[in-house]
Amino acid sequence: MLWCSVENGKFFFFFKQKTAYEILSGLVGSEMCIRERVLSCAFHPTLPLFATASVDKTAIVYDTSTTPWTKRHHLKDHADQVLSCAFHPTLPLFATASVDKTAIVYDTSTTPWTKRHHPKDHADQVLSCAFHPTLPLLPLIHI
């Protein structure tokens, strides 16, 4: 059983009796271990993908089928901290939400991933994003 947690801006993995550092360094290598202030993370429900959202204005997507995990996409389209990220469970979509008052939906069927929708009309920070389980709907939470 593997699960992750974000606590006080730090990213933690838990696996049986191993420490977070042991798991993290073995799975994603030293680059991820020193990356601070991960604010959100998400596993794809069926594909070997894991994503992080960070204060460094980026979202990084890793391939979890390799050891250590390899970086597949480094998304740098936000102007401020990325607070949340989500994979659609059945459609080729990935979303990010940011302090910059935007949410970005990426088409994951293209290489590299392309921006499919970039809503910019929010009055304040977009705090969270989550896809509907079967429809192409992305509810957003903002202040």
Side-chain angles (χ1 to χ4, degrees):
M1 169 72 62
L2 171 68
W3 70 94
C4 63
S5 172
V6 178
E7 183 176 308
N8 296 326
K10 300 290 183 184
F11 179 69
F12 297 97
F13 274 110
F14 301 95
F15 181 76
K16 295 186 180 177
Q17 299 300 316
K18 291 188 177 183
T19 66
Y21 180 79
E22 289 172 319
I23 292 297
L24 193 56
S25 62
L27 293 176
V28 297
S30 60
E31 183 271 335
M32 185 62 177
C33 289
I34 60 171
R35 186 169 181 247
E36 293 186 22
R37 303 298 305 215
V38 172
L39 300 175
S40 176
C41 59
F43 280 99
H44 191 284
T46 58
L47 299 175
L49 298 175
F50 175 76
T52 61
S54 178
V55 298
D56 67 1
K57 307 174 191 175
T58 69
I60 298 178
V61 180
Y62 296 90
D63 180 344
T64 63
S65 67
T66 63
T67 303
W69 293 354
T70 54
K71 189 187 305 183
R72 286 190 54 191
H73 303 280
H74 195 162
L75 307 170
K76 303 176 184 180
D77 297 308
H78 284 287
D80 209 332
Q81 299 176 19
V82 181
L83 300 176
S84 180
C85 61
F87 289 100
H88 192 283
T90 59
L91 298 173
L93 302 173
F94 176 73
T96 56
S98 174
V99 171
D100 67 8
K101 304 178 185 179
T102 67
I104 300 174
V105 178
Y106 295 89
D107 181 345
T108 64
S109 67
T110 63
T111 302
W113 290 1
T114 55
K115 286 191 268 187
R116 185 171 177 181
H117 187 60
H118 192 186
K120 300 178 185 179
D121 57 352
H122 300 284
D124 210 334
Q125 304 173 29
V126 183
L127 301 177
S128 183
C129 60
F131 281 103
H132 184 280
T134 57
L135 300 173
L137 299 176
L138 180 70
L140 302 171
I141 298 171
H142 57 89
I143 298 175

